[in-house]
């Protein structure tokens, strides 16, 4: 189900015989970017204005236009398109200016547009546009598609009515209706994802001036199906297929990227900051899309787990349940790894693990059932293709969203053995703690499905662990008795915050 070309957020690598794994040896890591010429600055800005034209202009007016790569003669750009080039800064686009904007919809509607990526539609070549130096992307187009229940969405995306009953369960009780209402109001819209992809494609073009054989991947919640329309973007810059030393090589590479953002791209990128964490990142804000991004180097496990989680996300009842748990954790201040609590990634793994361990499982262990599709040694340019042959999982669990949510809190409040067990989505069950430094004396142990590290290692204070457990226990008791989401998460407040 994942095509071999024009892959959103996942650019293809060239064939291995064309790659140069030693190109870093040819680019000194302490070299300052040579990007100061007027010609290059003009070219950089010109490329980004093409992106601005799509994000800020009327998409309908570019529907039949084909944007060709920019050509330069003696430093002067040649006009390549009649597409609008206006820049509107931080203002949101009105419904009048963007005819193809996404509307929120209710689960009973068969004709409303949706942000959920469900099935790609290949468009004729004349219906595509391209940005200079970037991958090609299909234009937004609305039309009906047949029922493809259980299919994992393609990475490419387009706007079209979705038969919502194939992806969202029927809510017959109050609590389940509240969960669905929150999900439909806050889920990531297709337009949000499109903005991030435009930025990724343009940044890849500019970064390849420093590292010609590099690729930039969109990873994390933006692409794995668990994002909201306020989610930040995560980017992984892959400079070579071999591991990169995160303390030396990665920091030096990111220093060059930060300087690129601060100089030639300063008109479009603001506040680029190098953060020297265990996995260092450059954090920045894209002025065009108004999205905050974190960019790392060669943290390829993020690419692998993005497509694993994406395959889980489009199984029955998973996305609404994950979104409400993330909103709940943020409301109760236990969703911030930088402050010693749980990361969003850890929370997603906790939900998946719970759904795997029910007496009648909602989810299987995909890695156990399809080891060849999620091989941790698979080459990066094949990762996006692997899940396309995985059929729907025929779960016999008929629990409602409300019942599953109450059961989730009960499982971690009263049933899970925090002292001796590890949460393992890879195994589809709780496994015994290994006796080594990664797991010994840890308050919470959640196994990363590919590199098998502890994703909850940030919870290193007993006070924070006790806070997390107490919130699970309190929320379980309240929700069990009142069966009203407002008793643990004010619905109106959560929706307003997005």
């Amino acid at each position: 189900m994942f095509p071999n070309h024009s892959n959103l957020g996942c650019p293809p690598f060239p064939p291995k015989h064309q790659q140069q794994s030693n190109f870093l040896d040819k680019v000194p890591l302490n070299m300052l970017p040579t990007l100061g010429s007027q010609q290059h600055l003009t070219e950089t800005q010109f490329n980004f204005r093409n992106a601005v034209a799509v994000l800020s202009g009327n998409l309908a007016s570019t529907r039949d236009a084909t944007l060709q790569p920019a050509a330069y003669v003696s430093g002067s750009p040649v006009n390549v398109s009649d597409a609008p080039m206006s820049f509107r800064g931080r203002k949101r686009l009105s419904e009048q200016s963007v005819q193809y904007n996404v509307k929120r919809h209710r689960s009973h509607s068969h004709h409303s547009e949706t942000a959920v990526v469900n099935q790609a539609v290949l468009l004729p070549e004349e219906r595509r546009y391209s940005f200079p130096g970037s991958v090609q992307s299909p234009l937004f187009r609305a039309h009906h598609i047949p029922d493809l229940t259980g299919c994992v969405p393609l990475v490419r995306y387009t706007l079209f009515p979705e038969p919502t009953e194939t992806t969202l369960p029927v809510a017959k009780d109050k609590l389940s209706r509240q969960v669905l209402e929150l999900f439909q109001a806050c889920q990531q819209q297709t337009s949000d994802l499109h903005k991030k992809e435009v930025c990724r494609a343009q940044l890849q073009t500019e970064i390849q001036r420093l590292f010609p054989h590099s690729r930039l991947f969109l990873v994390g919640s933006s692409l794995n199906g668990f994002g909201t329309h306020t989610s930040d973007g995560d980017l992984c810059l892959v400079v070579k297929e071999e591991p990169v030393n995160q303390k030396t090589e990665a920091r030096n590479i990111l220093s060059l990227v930060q300087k690129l953002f601060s100089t030639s791209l300063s008109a479009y990128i603001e506040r680029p900051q190098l953060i020297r964490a265990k996995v260092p990142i450059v954090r920045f804000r894209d002025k065009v899309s108004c999205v905050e991004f974190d960019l790392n180097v060669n943290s390829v496990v993020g690419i692998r787990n993005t497509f694993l989680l994406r395959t889980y996300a489009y199984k029955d009842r998973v996305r609404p349940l994950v979104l409400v748990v993330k909103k709940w954790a943020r409301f109760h201040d236990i969703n911030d790894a930088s402050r010693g609590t749980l990361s969003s990634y850890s929370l997603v793994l906790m939900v998946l693990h719970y759904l795997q361990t029910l007496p009648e499982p909602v989810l299987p262990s995909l890695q156990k059932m399809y080891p060849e599709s999620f091989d941790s040694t698979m080459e990066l340019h094949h990762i996006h293709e692997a899940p396309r042959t995985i059929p729907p999982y025929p779960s016999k669990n008929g629990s409602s969203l409300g019942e599953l949510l109450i059961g989730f809190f009960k499982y971690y409040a009263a049933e899970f053995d925090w002292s001796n067990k590890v949460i393992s989505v890879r195994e589809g069950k709780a496994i015994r703690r290994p006796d080594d430094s990664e797991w010994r004396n840890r308050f919470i142990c959640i196994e990363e499905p590919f590199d098998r590290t502890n994703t909850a290692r940030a919870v290193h204070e007993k006070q924070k662990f006790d806070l997390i457990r107490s919130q699970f226990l309190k929320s379980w008791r309240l929700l069990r008795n009142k069966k009203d989401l407002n008793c643990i998460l004010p619905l109106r407040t959560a929706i307003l915050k997005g």
Side-chain angles (χ1 to χ4, degrees):
M1 309 216 49
F2 292 82
N4 296 326
H5 59 286
S6 301
N7 299 297
L8 172 63
C10 190
F13 275 86
K16 210 160 192 179
H17 68 274
Q18 295 180 9
Q19 297 183 28
Q20 296 182 16
S21 61
N22 62 342
F23 77 90
L24 280 175
D25 298 332
K26 301 179 182 180
V27 182
L29 294 180
N30 60 355
M31 179 190 71
L32 293 177
T34 56
L35 303 173
S37 71
Q38 181 61 37
Q39 175 175 344
H40 178 80
L41 181 58
T42 303
E43 182 178 352
T44 297
Q45 293 174 343
F46 187 78
N47 283 345
F48 261 82
R49 286 184 185 123
N50 281 283
V52 174
V54 176
L55 292 177
S56 301
N58 189 335
L59 287 178
S61 67
T62 65
R63 186 171 180 177
D64 296 309
T66 300
L67 306 184
Q68 301 297 332
Y72 285 82
V73 180
S74 301
S76 301
V78 177
N79 188 22
V80 296
S81 174
D82 295 324
M85 305 294 285
S86 60
F87 180 72
R88 301 184 184 178
R90 303 186 184 184
K91 292 184 180 179
R92 291 187 178 272
L93 303 181
S94 66
E95 293 185 7
Q96 290 78 15
S97 66
V98 181
Q99 297 179 17
Y100 295 92
N101 196 13
V102 180
K103 303 293 194 303
R104 295 172 185 163
H105 64 287
R106 296 193 178 274
S107 59
H108 63 269
S109 172
H110 290 265
H111 303 287
S112 55
E113 294 176 341
T114 179
V116 182
V117 183
N118 188 42
Q119 177 69 20
V121 178
L122 291 177
L123 303 179
E125 286 299 324
E126 64 272 17
R127 290 289 186 180
R128 298 179 183 177
Y129 59 75
S130 62
F131 303 110
S134 73
V135 298
Q136 296 221 337
S137 303
L139 273 175
F140 287 165
R141 205 167 67 169
H143 60 278
H144 185 69
I145 63 167
D147 184 351
L148 292 169
T149 306
C151 290
V152 178
L154 296 189
V155 182
R156 297 179 60 203
Y157 59 99
T158 186
L159 293 183
F160 50 82
E162 176 195 2
T164 54
E165 69 272 16
T166 65
T167 56
L168 298 179
V170 176
K172 296 182 179 180
D173 59 274
K174 177 181 177 180
L175 181 56
S176 297
R177 287 195 298 269
Q178 290 174 324
V179 172
L180 276 182
E181 180 183 354
L182 182 62
F183 172 71
Q184 291 172 313
C186 298
Q187 64 178 318
Q188 178 176 258
Q189 303 292 316
T190 304
S191 56
D192 302 322
L193 179 57
H194 179 66
K195 291 177 182 179
K196 295 173 184 177
E197 165 59 11
V198 169
C199 184
R200 181 209 65 79
Q202 292 300 312
L203 288 178
Q204 175 175 267
T205 300
E206 303 307 327
I207 292 173
Q208 283 177 339
R209 301 179 189 278
L210 287 176
F211 307 109
H213 299 282
S214 64
R215 294 292 185 272
L216 192 61
F217 292 79
L218 186 63
V219 296
S221 63
S222 296
L223 199 58
N224 65 23
F226 296 119
T228 67
H229 61 76
T230 59
S231 295
D232 294 343
D234 294 298
L235 297 167
C236 177
L237 175 64
V238 179
V239 295
K240 57 182 179 179
E241 294 213 26
E242 294 78 19
V244 166
N245 186 303
Q246 293 293 325
K247 289 185 178 180
T248 55
E249 274 188 293
R251 289 184 182 181
N252 287 329
I253 292 167
L254 288 174
S255 294
L256 295 179
V257 172
Q258 180 194 23
K259 289 169 184 174
L260 169 66
F261 289 175
S262 301
T263 53
S264 297
L265 303 184
S266 61
Y268 303 96
I269 302 297
E270 67 179 357
R271 301 197 300 267
Q273 179 185 6
L274 176 59
I275 298 176
R276 293 174 171 81
K278 181 177 181 180
V279 176
I281 60 172
V282 167
R283 179 166 292 163
F284 63 94
R285 181 178 181 273
D286 172 33
K287 296 179 183 179
V288 179
S289 63
C290 299
V291 174
E292 299 273 353
F293 285 92
D294 288 345
L295 187 154
N296 69 68
V297 173
N298 268 60
S299 185
V300 296
V301 69
I303 303 172
R304 299 186 190 280
N305 64 49
T306 292
F307 286 94
L308 174 66
L309 264 58
R310 185 178 176 81
T311 313
Y312 279 118
Y314 291 90
K315 303 298 182 184
D316 184 29
R317 291 163 287 180
V318 178
R319 287 178 298 144
L321 197 60
V322 166
L323 187 142
V324 74
V325 167
K326 288 169 66 175
K327 290 287 184 182
W328 164 83
R330 180 60 57 93
F331 178 76
H332 291 282
D333 294 322
I334 57 172
N335 178 208
D336 189 347
S338 68
R339 297 171 58 189
T341 55
L342 293 164
S343 67
S344 293
Y345 181 44
S346 290
L347 287 165
V348 173
L349 293 177
M350 291 175 73
V351 175
L352 298 181
H353 167 78
Y354 158 69
L355 295 175
Q356 291 173 326
T357 57
L358 291 166
E360 189 63 59
V362 172
L363 295 176
S365 167
L366 291 176
Q367 288 167 286
K368 290 183 72 175
M369 291 182 69
Y370 307 98
E372 70 287 347
S373 295
F374 301 103
D375 185 347
S376 61
T377 63
M378 182 183 294
E379 294 180 349
L380 294 181
H381 57 286
H382 290 308
I383 291 174
H384 67 281
E385 300 172 354
R388 65 181 178 179
T389 58
I390 296 177
Y393 178 68
S395 174
K396 297 179 181 178
N397 188 306
S399 299
S400 68
L401 278 172
E403 291 169 338
L404 289 175
L405 183 61
I406 294 171
F408 169 79
F409 289 117
K410 179 184 178 182
Y411 179 73
Y412 289 109
E415 297 176 2
F416 183 75
D417 184 358
W418 296 96
S419 299
N420 300 302
K421 296 294 184 178
V422 175
I423 294 167
S424 176
V425 170
R426 175 182 59 87
E427 289 288 338
K429 62 182 181 181
I431 60 177
R432 187 172 182 82
R433 284 197 187 196
D435 187 22
D436 58 41
S437 58
E438 182 73 29
W439 308 100
R440 194 185 307 119
N441 301 322
R442 301 289 181 174
F443 293 107
I444 300 179
C445 293
I446 304 175
E447 181 192 61
E448 208 293 322
F450 288 99
D451 68 16
R452 305 188 189 182
T453 57
N454 183 12
T455 70
R457 58 183 173 270
V459 186
H460 55 79
E461 297 178 11
K462 188 176 186 303
Q463 179 184 3
K464 295 295 177 67
F465 172 63
D466 290 341
L467 172 64
I468 292 169
R469 287 206 62 184
S470 67
Q471 290 298 344
F472 273 100
L473 182 60
K474 181 180 178 181
S475 295
W476 169 46
R477 289 172 175 170
L478 286 171
L479 210 56
R480 177 189 59 186
N481 295 331
K482 298 187 177 182
K483 295 181 174 58
D484 183 348
L485 189 60
N486 287 292
C487 69
I488 64 167
L489 175 64
L491 193 58
R492 183 177 298 273
T493 300
I495 290 175
L496 288 175
K497 287 186 177 181

